[in-house]
């Protein structure tokens, strides 16, 4: 089946620093990638949707200048948390889908990245 | 609104017990519905789905039926195994054309031998 990886799996950083999280589709070309955030005991919340070669579409309430998303190739999307603060500590999950009609295609999920900001 | 509500866990069962995890949704129209499973240390995996009313999704002994009358998509399994221990997420397709998903909070299932 389609495999999606994330790196790093967990990261601890100091407040004020920036952290980059990578999401890769290992055996398929992902036309669309999604970034979710999961708080403890809460559901996954969609942060943004990115299509290769174009700007990401952010959900309401998500700061695009704080959560920079780049989808430069069909196999890689990155999420950069800029000037991280303790309230950004969370579990970040990406997913990827392929095909011309992404609304009908299955999403394949990465294993997630645990971010802790001290 | 557009949301998904599923029963809170954790759920602890003995092996071979019957499992039900309730899930209801709100939506305009009839979105596709999904159950995802997350095993410890792994990413979410699609367990089963239903794309229209009265459809039944099934996989690995799990079943869920799309009930438009009750706006529900309850997950069931007749006899659980220890290997079924995981977190289960109910989800519906979002409104946008990009195919985003709206998830419930997840239900942790622990099966004891």
């Amino acid at each position: 089946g389609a495999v999606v990886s994330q790196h790093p799996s967990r990261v601890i950083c100091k407040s004020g620093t920036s952290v980059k999280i990578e999401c890769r589709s290992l055996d398929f070309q992902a036309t669309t990638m999604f970034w979710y955030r999961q708080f403890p005991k809460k559901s996954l919340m969609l942060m943004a949707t990115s299509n290769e070669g174009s700007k990401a579409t952010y959900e309401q309430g998500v700061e695009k200048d704080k959560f920079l998303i780049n989808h430069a190739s069909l196999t890689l999307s990155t999420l950069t948390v800029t000037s991280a603060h303790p309230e950004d500590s969370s579990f970040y999950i990406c997913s990827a889908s392929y095909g011309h009609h992404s609304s009908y295609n299955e999403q394949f999920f990465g294993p997630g990245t645990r971010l802790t900001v001290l | 609104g557009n949301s998904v509500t599923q029963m809170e866990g954790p759920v602890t069962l003995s092996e071979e017990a019957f499992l039900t995890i309730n899930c209801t949704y709100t939506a305009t129209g009839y979105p596709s519905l999904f159950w995802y499973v997350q095993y410890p240390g792994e990413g979410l995996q699609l367990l089963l789905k239903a794309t229209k009313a009265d459809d039944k999704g099934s996989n690995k002994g799990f079943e869920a039926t799309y009930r438009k009358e009750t706006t529900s998509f309850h997950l069931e399994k007749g006899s659980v195994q220890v290997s079924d221990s995981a977190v289960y997420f109910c989800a519906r397709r979002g409104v946008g054309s990009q195919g985003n998903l709206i998830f419930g909070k997840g239900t942790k299932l622990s099966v004891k031998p």
Side-chain angles (χ1 to χ4, degrees):
Chain A
V3 179
V4 175
S5 70
Q6 279 185 243
H7 178 79
S9 57
R10 62 177 63 231
V11 56
I12 300 172
C13 70
K14 293 182 178 179
S15 185
T17 61
S18 294
V19 175
K20 179 184 284 188
I21 302 170
E22 293 186 347
C23 176
R24 293 181 184 273
S25 56
L26 299 185
D27 50 4
F28 67 100
Q29 294 185 322
T31 50
T32 306
M33 286 186 169
F34 304 84
W35 285 95
Y36 295 85
R37 182 173 177 176
Q38 185 179 27
F39 295 95
K41 298 186 178 181
K42 291 187 181 294
S43 61
L44 282 72
M45 304 297 294
L46 180 66
M47 299 175 65
T49 303
S50 72
N51 293 294
E52 183 265 340
S54 60
K55 290 184 178 180
T57 302
Y58 289 80
E59 295 299 300
Q60 192 172 13
V62 178
E63 299 176 58
K64 60 181 65 177
D65 293 331
K66 178 158 188 69
F67 298 99
L68 301 178
I69 291 172
N70 185 288
H71 191 165
S73 78
L74 284 171
T75 59
L76 173 65
S77 176
T78 60
L79 167 67
T80 301
V81 183
T82 63
S83 187
H85 288 95
E87 57 265 30
D88 299 324
S89 298
S90 193
F91 196 56
Y92 293 88
I93 301 173
C94 75
S95 70
S97 64
Y98 60 91
H100 296 291
H101 300 287
S102 294
S103 63
Y104 302 108
N105 291 322
E106 181 177 347
Q107 290 184 32
F108 300 95
F109 286 81
T113 297
R114 171 75 61 193
L115 171 63
T116 303
V117 184
L118 303 176
Chain B
N2 299 307
S3 67
V4 176
T5 303
Q6 63 182 102
M7 64 187 286
E8 296 223 10
V11 174
T12 303
L13 296 173
S14 297
E15 208 165 19
E16 299 184 2
F18 184 86
L19 169 71
T20 300
I21 301 178
N22 291 339
C23 172
T24 57
Y25 66 92
T26 57
T28 52
Y30 304 105
S32 296
L33 302 173
F34 307 83
W35 276 100
Y36 281 84
V37 58
Q38 185 176 31
Y39 298 104
E42 299 182 17
L44 276 73
Q45 302 173 27
L46 179 64
L47 179 60
L48 53 84
K49 68 179 181 182
T51 57
K52 60 183 188 294
D54 299 326
D55 264 4
K56 176 185 283 188
S58 61
N59 185 25
K60 298 181 181 179
F62 291 89
E63 292 183 341
T65 301
Y66 192 141
R67 304 266 188 217
K68 65 178 181 180
E69 303 85 5
T70 53
T71 60
S72 66
F73 193 54
H74 303 324
L75 182 68
E76 296 181 337
K77 186 173 185 180
S79 176
V80 294
Q81 305 300 312
V82 174
S83 56
D84 294 326
S85 298
V87 181
Y88 293 82
F89 292 89
C90 185
R92 52 149 288 178
R93 186 72 79 184
V95 174
S97 62
Q98 300 275 26
N100 67 293
L101 296 169
I102 299 171
F103 287 89
K105 293 184 179 181
T107 303
K108 184 175 182 179
L109 169 67
S110 296
V111 181
K112 306 296 185 184

